Structure formats: C-alpha cells, structure tokens
C-alpha cells in the first residue's frame, strides 16, 4: 500500500497508477515474428489514474537495463535477447523528466527512485513486468546448385524436389525459428 500525503497547497501529490501486468503471459517468439506486435492492457482494478493529468506508456528493459519507452510496444524489429516490458503511469507534464536511455540505467533503480521519499518525477511502474524473449533466426541456407537427372529427386526439409526450378523452402531451426 502506498499512502501519499499532500501539503496544504496540493503540491507533492502523485496519484499515478500503473496498474498490473500480472495476468499477461511471458512471450517467447522468433526474431521478426508478427507475434511480437501486441496490445497489452494493464489491469487497474477500477482505479485508473485521471487521464486528464496522467499519461501511460511502457518502459522497456533489455537484460534489466532501460532500453526504451513506447506507448504501443512492437518488438518485431528488436534484435534477439531478453526484454522486460513494464507499465508506466506518469504525470503528463513531466515527460521531460524521463531518465535518459544511456545503456547503464537499470529498471529496478528507476522503480526504486519513483518509490522513494523524494522521487525525480511523479510516476509509477507496474509491480511486475512481462518477459519478452526474442530468439534469433538462422541465416538462410543455400544448397547451391544440385543436379537432378532423369527420375532422381532431392529431399529438402521433408519436401521432395524432382523437377527443374528455383525453390524457397521454410525450415525450422533448433530454436523453433524459420531458417
């Protein structure tokens, strides 16, 4: 439970509510897969922050380091790796107070700062974040020129080739991604 005490003038009040992502399952997809484009709706338990004062976005970490802020998370162009997606509610006029993306600032440090006695801005991260794992695609495999004579055939990825042509065959690598 978080209790906010405001002074007599109404300053130092922060009623940001990031809600919860507890009911959102972890994502494990291949690089570039359309399944990495999704809309996540936090659960506010009926207590969403006032949208005339507060905005909502997502804080994205890569290996727990702050990587980006994005209101519509689309990981389809992200390189392989392990990411964290956290909801972030903040006072709309404090967008300039977001921490810089410098490759060393940790998500847990940001959460601790927001929950401190003197936070750098009015905001709240979700208590849990969704783990997004992006597996690498394999490089394209070229078999080169294969000669098929007479009634010969060649089997590639379970597909029998027995006539002249240029073939593009999607095969799954050991990580389950299209190669």
């Amino acid at each position: 439970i978080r209790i906010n005490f405001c002074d007599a003038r109404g300053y130092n009040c922060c009623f940001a509510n990031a809600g919860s992502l507890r009911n959102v399952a972890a994502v494990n997809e291949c690089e570039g897969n359309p399944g990495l484009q999704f809309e996540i709706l936090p659960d506010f338990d009926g207590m969403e922050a006032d949208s005339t004062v507060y905005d909502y976005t997502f804080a994205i970490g890569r290996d727990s380091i702050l990587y980006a802020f994005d209101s519509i998370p689309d990981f389809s162009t992200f390189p392989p790796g392990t990411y964290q997606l956290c909801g972030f509610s903040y006072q709309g006029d404090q967008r300039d107070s977001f921490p810089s993306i410098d490759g060393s600032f940790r998500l847990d440090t940001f959460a601790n700062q927001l929950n401190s006695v003197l936070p750098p801005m009015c905001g709240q991260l979700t208590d849990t974040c969704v783990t997004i794992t992006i597996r690498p695609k394999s490089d394209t495999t070229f078999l080169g020129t294969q000669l098929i004579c007479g009634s010969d055939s060649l089997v590639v990825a379970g597909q029998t080739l027995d006539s002249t042509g240029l073939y593009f065959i999607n095969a799954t690598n050991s990580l389950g991604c299209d190669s």
Side-chain angles (χ1 to χ4, degrees), residues 32-40 58 60 67-79 83 85 132 134:
N33 190 308
L36 292 168
Q37 301 170 345
F38 40 76
E39 183 177 334
I40 292 182
F58 293 92
I60 299 170
Y67 187 76
F69 289 100
D70 197 344
S71 59
I72 302 172
D74 179 357
F75 289 78
S76 64
T77 61
F78 282 31
Y83 298 86
L85 179 69
I132 313 287
I134 302 175

Side-chain angles (χ1 to χ4, degrees), residues 14-151:
C14 184
F15 300 107
N17 181 2
S20 172
L21 300 179
R22 282 185 292 248
N23 297 325
V24 180
V27 175
N28 190 355
E29 291 285 349
C30 298
E31 180 181 10
N33 190 308
L36 292 168
Q37 301 170 345
F38 40 76
E39 183 177 334
I40 292 182
L41 300 174
D43 181 5
F44 294 104
D45 290 329
M47 300 175 63
E48 190 170 349
D50 180 351
S51 63
T52 63
V53 178
Y54 296 94
D55 288 334
Y56 200 92
T57 193
F58 293 92
I60 299 170
R62 183 173 184 188
D63 299 322
S64 299
I65 303 297
L66 186 60
Y67 187 76
F69 289 100
D70 197 344
S71 59
I72 302 172
D74 179 357
F75 289 78
S76 64
T77 61
F78 282 31
T82 302
Y83 298 86
Q84 299 75 38
L85 179 69
C86 310
F88 179 43
S89 173
Y90 63 96
Q91 193 169 317
D93 63 0
Q94 294 186 346
R95 177 88 169 129
D96 291 341
S97 297
F98 280 22
S100 61
I101 310 295
D102 64 5
S104 65
F105 191 71
R106 296 181 52 83
L107 276 173
D108 57 353
T109 300
F110 186 38
N112 291 338
Q113 286 180 349
L114 291 172
N115 291 323
S116 70
V117 176
L118 295 171
M121 65 179 295
C122 172
Q124 182 186 48
L125 287 172
T126 49
D127 56 348
T128 56
C129 300
V130 178
T131 299
I132 313 287
T133 303
I134 302 175
R135 299 183 316 264
K137 292 191 288 188
S138 294
D139 290 334
T140 302
T141 301
F142 294 98
L143 296 177
T145 302
Q146 299 290 323
L147 185 60
I148 302 173
C149 299
S151 62

